Amino acid sequence: MKEFAANVANACKNAFGNFDLIDALEILLFVLAFYYVFKILKNSGAKSVIAVFVLFTLATGIVFVGNVQLKGDTFLVFPIVFAALVMIIFNVEVKRDILNIGNSAPKFLSKETDRQTHVSKEEVERYIADIIRALQNMSKDNIGALIILANDNIPRQVLESGVVMDAHISAQLIEGIFFPKAPLHDGAMVINNYKIQAAGCFLPLTQNANIPKELGTRHRAGIGITETSDVIALIVSEETGIITIAQRGKISRYADYDLLRKTLGDYYWKDLGGEGRKK
């Protein structure tokens, strides 16, 4: 045991005895790469993958710290490559965090609604039913629409680009806003929890070159906002009436009643903390 402790002490002494700016950069790159990989894997629920990743990182660190010959340029290559891979693989998540720094949405809700932290099961069921009814009616009539489900994650500039409404959710209001001759129909509607927070908002367009060419500006805006903010976009095509759901930059086309209900149910019961879903 004493010999092992001595070896560890010597390794630490050799590793940190000549600590310089390059070493600090290496540590920073390791920390950033580790943070994003661990964060994404944790959110995906991949516990076994997390364990393998942690063990691999620890083993790699021990090898580098214990081997003086790996110092210098050779040691710097690994964290640079590792950080570059993280930026490539998880570019959406990294971009989302960067764009949302200090960019929380303002509270447009009234003091009365701010105090309302819980809603009844019946109210949530009505919200879900009204949103689905509006989407399906607009789909049937080939009326384009873009609805963002935002749990306080919409950037401030998006809300400021539209018209603040703070209105109760109803199918009639949603359809009225997206009526082709209505002044706000070309922009996006933001539903924040149990209120229509704003309408006529402008969203960032996705730069993903793999998006199908038949998808127009409305779809690209819906996908783009999900790449930079943790929100859900519900899109109705003006040309085909097809309903599309966008989450984390990915799309699910031809959304039917069951998929819409599942998406809205997950959003409301998760973010509003309702207990009525449990039967």
Side-chain angles (χ1 to χ4, degrees):
M1 179 64 71
K2 292 182 178 180
E3 183 179 353
F4 175 76
N7 290 335
V8 172
N10 289 332
C12 292
K13 182 179 179 180
N14 292 330
F16 298 104
N18 298 316
F19 192 82
D20 55 19
L21 183 60
I22 298 297
D23 295 318
L25 178 60
E26 293 165 359
I27 293 174
L28 177 61
L29 290 173
F30 263 122
V31 170
L32 291 176
F34 184 90
Y35 167 77
Y36 277 106
V37 174
F38 186 83
K39 177 183 176 182
I40 303 307
L41 293 178
K42 181 179 179 181
N43 290 341
S44 67
K47 295 181 179 179
S48 60
V49 181
I50 293 176
V52 173
F53 170 72
V54 171
L55 290 176
F56 173 76
T57 304
L58 290 176
T60 304
I62 292 173
V63 169
F64 280 126
V65 169
N67 194 334
V68 181
Q69 296 178 352
L70 293 179
K71 295 291 288 179
D73 295 339
T74 304
F75 186 41
L76 184 60
V77 169
F78 181 78
I80 290 178
V81 173
F82 188 34
L85 288 175
V86 171
M87 291 293 293
I88 294 172
I89 297 173
F90 302 116
N91 67 89
V92 172
E93 287 78 11
V94 174
K95 182 168 64 174
R96 178 187 301 139
D97 281 359
I98 293 175
L99 292 179
N100 286 336
I101 293 176
N103 206 16
S104 58
K107 294 291 185 179
F108 285 121
L109 301 181
S110 64
K111 293 182 179 180
E112 180 179 356
T113 55
D114 273 339
R115 289 195 296 266
Q116 185 180 358
T117 57
H118 297 285
V119 293
S120 67
K121 174 184 176 181
E122 291 73 19
E123 287 177 299
V124 174
E125 289 293 343
R126 182 178 62 78
Y127 302 153
I128 293 174
D130 276 9
I131 294 172
I132 294 177
R133 184 182 307 114
L135 289 169
Q136 292 184 326
N137 287 343
M138 292 185 292
S139 172
K140 182 177 61 177
D141 296 331
N142 282 16
I143 296 176
L146 175 53
I147 299 175
I148 306 302
L149 303 178
N151 47 358
D152 296 318
N153 288 326
I154 279 287
R156 180 184 300 272
Q157 62 265 28
V158 170
L159 291 173
E160 291 177 347
S161 70
V163 176
V164 177
M165 301 191 68
D166 190 22
H168 291 287
I169 296 171
S170 71
Q172 294 82 0
L173 180 55
I174 294 174
E175 293 180 50
I177 289 173
F178 288 111
F179 185 73
K181 293 184 179 180
L184 302 177
H185 79 281
D186 277 334
M189 172 187 293
V190 177
I191 292 181
N192 191 41
N193 294 333
Y194 45 87
K195 287 287 188 112
I196 297 176
Q197 188 171 9
C201 299
F202 294 98
L203 308 178
L205 302 182
T206 180
Q207 302 302 315
N208 188 346
N210 297 321
I211 300 298
K213 294 182 179 180
E214 63 268 21
L215 299 183
T217 303
R218 183 175 283 110
H219 287 80
R220 293 183 176 276
I223 297 170
I225 191 63
T226 67
E227 291 176 340
T228 58
S229 301
D230 186 14
V231 299
I232 301 171
L234 308 175
I235 312 161
V236 181
S237 172
E238 186 176 352
E239 288 75 22
T240 63
I242 295 172
I243 301 175
T244 299
I245 299 173
Q247 290 180 274
R248 296 184 179 274
K250 308 297 182 182
I251 59 173
S252 299
R253 303 195 67 192
Y254 301 96
D256 57 8
Y257 175 85
D258 292 334
L259 182 55
L260 289 172
R261 180 166 182 80
K262 180 182 184 304
T263 301
L264 286 161
D266 290 344
Y267 166 75
Y268 272 110
W269 294 121
K270 172 184 176 181
D271 295 313
L272 294 186
E275 295 294 331
R277 192 179 188 185
K278 302 177 181 179
K279 296 181 180 180

